[in-house]
Amino acid sequence: MKNTISRRTTLAALAASAVALPGLSLAQADRPVKFILPNATGSGVDAITRAAAPALGKALGTNVVVENQAGASGVIGLQALAKNPPDGYTLSVVSNNVVIFPSVIKNLPFEMPGDFTPIAVVGATPLVLVANPQRVPANNGREFIAALKAKPDGFNFGSGGTGTILHLAAEMFVDEAGIKARHIPYKGVGPMVTDLLGGQIDFAVVALPSVQQHIKSGALKAVGMCGEKRNAAAPDIPTFVEQGLPRYVIDAWFGVLGPKGMSAAAVKKVHDALVAAFNDPAVKDTMTKQGNTIAISSVEQAQKAFRSEMERFAALVKKVGIEPQ
């Protein structure tokens, strides 16, 4: 009888401990948490996630696996996320591409944000317009605009895909500068940067972290920062506001999503881990060097932000004349 009671007591205690761990069960305690990134290796979101992965793993109490599923401007990765169970073991770090999709892509295979669980807006990444110095020999924004105006339709720009924040930011620049240039979409930022370095395309708007090394080496020329103010990680690069385009201000923000239907306990566990990880001294140092600004929203703020940003970018898409495809 004592052994039976002891076994029952032990099992009850183990069950209670499982309940105490939001989103975890005894059978899942050693499962890794997978971050599906709808971006190619080398993108800004990729650099951020991989820099934070060790600290996220520590905060979550398990290993973190980063899996890039680029393609269709990010739709493939998000579709994969939506199909996973809402247990907190499959997540995604996304850029504001995801709130642009409904305005630029016909027949999305998911509803944004209805088929997902917004967990946090984590921070913002600075955008920079860079050019291949051999293709566009300009030292600043004014010279760059003059060079493009001198050859209407003679230049092209790349992006990580039609309807992405990088595409929209470049279209916005073309509109504000009063120039013409042909858009060439790629299946991810990495391939696009490779072609930019090789001279297959002339310029692009990219996340600063993904091209910092190429700017420093001189392989790419930084024409201007797209934000309102200069960035501490690249203080020598002037903004376009400084260079005569006062209305050209755009940045990329990034956040974390899970599949639709995550429990409040699972969401809280992930949110707490994000706060812990992005306050880790090593991660904070890396974010500062990359130029990222970290300001983690609450879960409620994230849910509101995803919807309000969809409306804001819908208006911008209409303004610059991007047709849904």
Side-chain angles (χ1 to χ4, degrees):
M1 178 68 72
K2 286 184 178 181
N3 287 340
T4 301
I5 294 173
S6 177
R7 283 196 297 272
R8 287 176 179 172
T9 303
T10 301
L11 289 171
L14 288 171
S17 67
V19 173
L21 293 172
L24 290 174
S25 70
L26 287 177
Q28 298 172 324
D30 59 350
R31 277 181 60 192
V33 172
K34 180 168 67 176
F35 280 83
I36 296 176
L37 303 188
N39 311 78
T41 303
S43 67
V45 165
D46 180 74
I48 289 164
T49 309
R50 292 183 187 279
L56 280 167
K58 181 179 179 181
L60 290 166
T62 187
N63 292 327
V64 164
V65 176
V66 180
E67 182 178 294
N68 299 84
Q69 291 197 32
S73 300
V75 172
I76 290 174
L78 284 171
Q79 191 172 14
L81 175 67
K83 292 178 179 178
N84 274 271
D87 56 10
Y89 280 88
T90 308
L91 306 165
S92 183
V93 179
V94 298
S95 69
N96 39 359
N97 287 343
V98 299
V99 294
I100 303 171
F101 288 162
S103 299
V104 297
I105 300 176
K106 293 180 180 178
N107 303 316
L108 274 176
F110 49 77
E111 181 185 346
M112 177 57 65
D115 285 335
F116 303 93
T117 301
I119 297 172
V121 174
V122 177
T125 298
L127 298 179
V128 59
L129 190 151
V130 292
N132 183 299
Q134 305 304 316
R135 301 272 296 179
V136 192
N139 294 312
N140 54 53
R142 289 183 174 85
E143 290 181 6
F144 180 78
I145 292 170
L148 269 64
K149 283 185 175 180
K151 292 178 63 178
D153 295 317
F155 294 92
N156 56 50
F157 67 91
S159 78
T162 300
T164 61
I165 182 62
L166 302 185
H167 175 206
L168 196 57
E171 292 280 12
M172 185 179 173
F173 172 80
V174 168
D175 180 64
E176 289 291 334
I179 59 177
K180 293 183 179 180
R182 184 164 57 95
H183 174 226
I184 300 178
Y186 284 78
K187 294 181 179 180
V189 176
M192 183 266 287
V193 171
T194 298
D195 273 10
L196 181 60
L197 289 165
Q200 281 74 42
I201 53 175
D202 301 312
F203 70 96
V205 174
V206 290
L208 179 64
S210 63
V211 291
Q212 274 180 312
Q213 60 178 326
H214 303 305
I215 294 172
K216 290 178 180 178
S217 72
L220 294 177
K221 177 70 177 181
V223 180
M225 297 298 299
C226 304
E228 186 176 6
K229 298 179 180 179
R230 294 197 186 200
N231 191 274
D236 295 335
I237 305 175
T239 66
F240 283 106
V241 172
E242 295 176 66
Q243 300 185 80
L245 295 180
R247 295 184 301 177
Y248 184 60
V249 177
I250 188 166
D251 283 316
W253 54 258
F254 55 96
V256 175
L257 290 176
K260 177 183 178 180
M262 285 180 64
S263 69
V267 170
K268 183 178 185 304
K269 182 176 178 65
V270 174
H271 190 276
D272 288 349
L274 291 170
V275 172
F278 282 94
N279 278 290
D280 179 271
V283 176
K284 288 176 71 174
D285 182 61
T286 300
M287 294 299 108
T288 299
K289 289 177 179 176
Q290 290 181 351
N292 299 314
T293 302
I294 303 301
I296 301 175
S297 74
S298 67
V299 175
E300 293 75 17
Q301 288 170 335
Q303 292 169 348
K304 291 178 181 178
F306 273 78
R307 294 188 181 280
S308 64
E309 284 289 275
M310 280 177 58
E311 296 176 3
R312 183 171 80 91
F313 279 106
L316 185 54
V317 165
K318 185 176 181 179
K319 180 180 184 296
V320 300
I322 299 176
E323 294 293 331
Q325 297 182 5

